[in-house]
Amino acid sequence: TVILRLTESDNKSTSSRFMLAEQALLIIERNPIVGVGLGGYARASHQNIPASFSAIEPGFRDIILSSLVHNKFLLVAAESGLVGLSLFMYLFFVTIKWLWKADFSNDPVRQALAIGLIAGLVASLVTFMFEHAYMGVPIETVWAAIGAAIALTHGLTQRSSKSRRKRVTLVSAPC
């Protein structure tokens, strides 16, 4: 399918993704702080139509207006504003940071699991650039990975840059 996407017609898939991104940016521009509310993107997409949409045929425009933007970060920012996007990104930052700094020197299995969880979370962030992941397996996998990170780091000592150690848990990290 990748070769066909690159060599054959993509049925305006690429151009529609750019149009959806333009529309999401318009929604974010008009509702920057708290967004349009969870689940409010569909309603907002009919109320926030970029001027460039007037140049496309009505049938294609209707299809675009019934779609979600294929970028999780733009979707989160549109629905929950820049505040919600910041919290969403902070959750990933804190989880990856705690996994990275956890001291697994006596347990190579847990260390391998931590590396796998970090890689999975980073892969999710990359996937979110191209898909909305509104619900379903990608989102559920992220929550399962964050839960596994909590369990994996619970009660462990954390490495410090000044080589002193302190006892921490991911659960007590400020979110």
Side-chain angles (χ1 to χ4, degrees), residues 81-103:
L82 297 177
V83 171
L85 179 62
S86 298
L87 292 172
F88 181 72
M89 294 304 297
Y90 187 68
L91 178 66
F92 281 92
F93 172 76
V94 167
T95 304
I96 291 170
K97 176 185 166 193
W98 286 93
L99 280 170
W100 188 262
K101 288 188 159 213
D103 185 13

Side-chain angles (χ1 to χ4, degrees), residues 14-30 41 48-54 56 64 69-71 74 78:
T14 304
S15 61
S16 68
R17 287 180 187 230
F18 282 113
M19 288 182 216
L20 287 167
E22 179 185 8
Q23 182 180 38
L25 289 169
L26 180 64
I27 293 170
I28 295 165
E29 181 182 315
R30 292 180 177 172
Y41 186 88
N48 296 278
I49 301 172
S52 64
F53 279 34
S54 64
I56 59 176
I64 291 175
V69 63
H70 280 59
N71 184 309
L74 290 176

Side-chain angles (χ1 to χ4, degrees), residues 88 91-92 95 120-121 124-125 128 136-148:
F88 181 72
L91 178 66
F92 281 92
T95 304
L121 290 170
S124 295
L125 289 171
F128 290 162
V137 174
I139 295 297
E140 293 162 0
T141 303
V142 165
W143 294 126
I146 291 172

Side-chain angles (χ1 to χ4, degrees), residues 27-66:
I27 293 170
I28 295 165
E29 181 182 315
R30 292 180 177 172
N31 306 281
I33 305 301
V34 293
V36 295
L38 296 176
Y41 186 88
R43 178 187 41 79
S45 69
H46 290 283
Q47 297 170 348
N48 296 278
I49 301 172
S52 64
F53 279 34
S54 64
I56 59 176
E57 60 223 35
F60 186 51
R61 184 176 45 239
D62 292 341
I63 291 170
I64 291 175
L65 289 175
S66 66

